[in-house]
Amino acid sequence: MDKKTIGILGGGQLGRMVVEAASRLNINTVILDAPNAPAKQINAVSEHIDGSFTHYESIVKLAEKSDVLTVEIEHVDADALKRVKQKFPHIEIYPLPETIKLIQDKYLQKEHLIQHDIEVAESIPVLDNTEQALLEVGEKFGYPFMLKSRTLAYDGRGNFVVKSSDKVGEALEFLKDRPLYAEKWCPFVKELAVMVVRSLEGEVFAYPTVETIQQDNICHLVIAPARIPDTLAKKASILANNAVKSFPGCGIFGVEMFLLPNNELLVNEIAPRPHNSGHYTIDACVTSQFEAHVRAVAGLPMPKGFTEFSTTSTNAIMLNVLGDKDTADKELEICRRALETPHATVYLYGKTTRPGRKMGHINIVSSSMEDCENRLEYISGSTASLPA
Ligand code: ADP
Ligand code: NA
Ligand code: MG
């Protein structure tokens, strides 16, 4: 296709699925992460870098082998990336280091979105981590409110629901010395998500609006399309496009949203990378989120409609496969049932099992949502017989 080599900071499952998409286009990828990271396992080149995506010298080593740098995680050293751009001006870095830096701090991300007229939950910074400061938040927002770490948050590990004034001590203990902000509680009826890919020219392409269902703060299911009226789905899509237009550079973004009881939509947070809510695109859309990202950062064509469902009657459900809480590898039974199920595809990430760890996912695709739901029941073990 093209002789560009893409260097990826991070070699988890997202990097692994980018590698898969790139390799189909004869695009080389090199990975910076720990030895035997999931993305390295399926990419038999010797150039991979063993090291950390938060370490300047390691990023320089990756840059020396790359024409384009990208990330599969936003918790990289963004300042190091800015220095790398100065040292190697010919290397493209997408998302832009400035975008990564902004998004890394969830409170700065919110301020940025507000400046661009994107609706978000009302938020205030917590300037000192004291009970008094949290009680003042409680007076302003009422209870419950959400206390969040501004940085290094994922899978709920950075959030604490402050249910009442006598819980502020516990909240501070939980989030210790992290930089904090508080968010007004959003009594959402559904959580929605939209993947958006942005070309270097600034054109945005939204994937379908989907519904995400979290369990213990981790994505459990994705329902595509979202079971909401078309007008709302369209509104979500426009909101996501507008949010992503506010970030220069190019690549794929995941936009998480809350749908409130009055049908108002608020952006929760944005990820500047492939996202768990977009895994369904591998089997349900013309182009997967991973290939869309590769096309964007490599400057390949992005034709009209390339992010749409493969057919006008495509429905999909994605189920995350998490490490079983009690018995090592028991989650493989879910995968086994999925293999027995028509219209289901299993993706495993090559990780060692741990309770609650994201081990893989399953995509179910059919022309009816009811059919997807019946198949999900069998796969998740809530019915013993395979649907007809
Ligand atoms: P993470 O980086 O861990 O994904 P999020 O900020 O997206 O952090 O929060 C994780 C989950 O917590 C969300 O998907 C949502 O279910 C819930 N949540 C987050 N913020 C709020 C809020 N302001 N009100 C109600 N629920 C929230
Ligand atoms: Na996050
Ligand atoms: Mg989130």
Side-chain angles (χ1 to χ4, degrees):
M1 179 66 56
D2 155 324
K3 288 276 164 274
K4 273 182 190 163
T5 295
I6 302 178
I8 309 175
L9 283 80
Q13 66 268 19
L14 301 174
R16 179 170 166 119
M17 290 184 274
V18 171
V19 167
E20 220 179 336
S23 66
R24 270 192 296 101
L25 301 176
N26 279 357
I27 292 177
N28 298 327
T29 46
V30 285
I31 313 294
L32 164 58
D33 208 334
N36 203 39
K40 292 182 180 178
Q41 294 168 16
I42 64 159
N43 187 358
V45 299
S46 53
E47 277 87 30
H48 296 309
I49 310 296
D50 291 339
S52 166
F53 42 75
T54 60
H55 181 228
Y56 174 70
E57 301 302 336
S58 300
I59 302 174
V60 166
K61 281 192 202 160
L62 183 74
E64 282 165 350
K65 302 189 168 170
S66 308
D67 303 297
V68 182
L69 287 181
T70 190
V71 304
E72 62 124 39
I73 179 167
E74 60 274 35
H75 306 307
V76 299
D77 187 335
D79 291 324
L81 277 176
K82 286 187 196 167
R83 285 167 65 202
V84 165
K85 180 69 190 171
Q86 281 162 358
K87 189 175 163 79
F88 305 98
H90 63 284
I91 294 182
E92 313 288 356
I93 306 180
Y94 302 120
L96 297 178
E98 293 75 15
T99 297
I100 298 173
K101 180 124 180 128
L102 184 65
I103 284 182
Q104 275 178 346
D105 183 326
K106 284 186 171 190
Y107 185 72
L108 294 185
Q109 185 192 138
K110 282 228 155 54
E111 286 195 317
H112 168 91
L113 292 171
I114 291 166
Q115 282 161 16
H116 289 84
D117 294 320
I118 306 294
E119 263 100 77
V120 295
E122 199 183 329
S123 301
I124 36 175
V126 175
L127 296 176
D128 53 341
N129 294 8
T130 61
E131 297 199 6
Q132 185 51 37
L134 295 191
L135 290 171
E136 280 166 25
V137 173
E139 266 162 48
K140 185 170 158 62
F141 284 167
Y143 297 91
F145 68 84
M146 189 63 106
L147 188 64
K148 293 191 179 182
S149 174
R150 292 171 63 142
T151 58
L152 297 174
Y154 68 100
D155 292 343
R157 279 179 252 188
N159 291 357
F160 191 94
V161 181
V162 185
K163 293 197 172 127
S164 60
S165 58
D166 47 343
K167 296 286 188 212
V168 296
E170 217 178 291
L172 282 178
E173 182 54 32
F174 184 75
L175 291 170
K176 284 241 157 41
D177 304 318
R178 303 175 71 168
L180 303 177
Y181 78 100
E183 224 171 87
K184 204 165 181 175
W185 187 252
C186 294
F188 57 81
V189 289
K190 278 182 195 294
E191 288 190 81
L192 305 177
V194 181
M195 298 304 307
V196 177
V197 63
R198 190 188 197 278
S199 72
L200 198 50
E201 294 74 35
E203 197 176 357
V204 288
F205 301 82
Y207 278 91
T209 300
V210 303
E211 209 176 312
T212 64
I213 300 172
Q214 342 292 327
Q215 257 175 20
D216 302 327
N217 285 302
I218 298 184
C219 179
H220 170 53
L221 292 174
V222 171
I223 314 284
R227 296 163 298 184
I228 55 173
D230 285 350
T231 48
L232 257 181
K234 185 72 199 154
K235 216 174 112 186
S237 169
I238 292 168
L239 178 63
N241 274 342
N242 286 340
V244 170
K245 276 183 202 161
S246 75
F247 299 106
C250 66
I252 192 99
F253 291 79
V255 182
E256 300 177 13
M257 284 175 262
F258 298 129
L259 172 61
L260 300 183
N262 63 0
N263 281 347
E264 196 185 338
L265 288 166
L266 299 178
V267 169
N268 170 28
E269 62 166 346
I270 297 181
R273 54 165 170 79
H275 191 262
N276 202 162
S277 70
H279 292 354
Y280 77 94
T281 62
I282 303 174
D283 293 295
C285 294
V286 177
T287 315
S288 77
Q289 62 163 341
F290 304 102
E291 182 178 332
H293 185 61
V294 169
R295 289 198 197 198
V297 304
L300 294 173
M302 296 164 67
K304 185 173 171 290
F306 88 131
T307 58
E308 287 170 7
F309 281 126
S310 306
T311 75
T312 49
S313 62
T314 298
N315 285 268
I317 294 181
M318 189 242 30
L319 168 68
N320 260 354
V321 177
L322 303 182
D324 192 84
K325 293 225 153 52
D326 306 310
T327 314
D329 289 327
K330 190 156 187 286
E331 65 278 4
L332 293 176
E333 288 173 15
I334 295 173
C335 299
R336 168 112 214 148
R337 285 196 296 274
L339 291 176
E340 292 166 4
T341 306
H343 309 169
T345 314
V346 177
Y347 297 81
L348 289 169
Y349 305 151
K351 298 179 177 175
T352 308
T353 191
R354 270 204 312 262
R357 191 175 197 197
K358 286 180 180 168
M359 301 302 294
H361 72 270
I362 294 162
N363 284 342
I364 310 166
V365 179
S366 175
S367 55
S368 95
M369 187 54 84
E370 196 190 352
D371 185 46
C372 292
E373 285 163 357
N374 290 338
R375 289 169 200 281
L376 174 66
E377 276 197 22
Y378 177 74
I379 292 168
S380 56
S382 49
T383 171
S385 57
L386 200 56

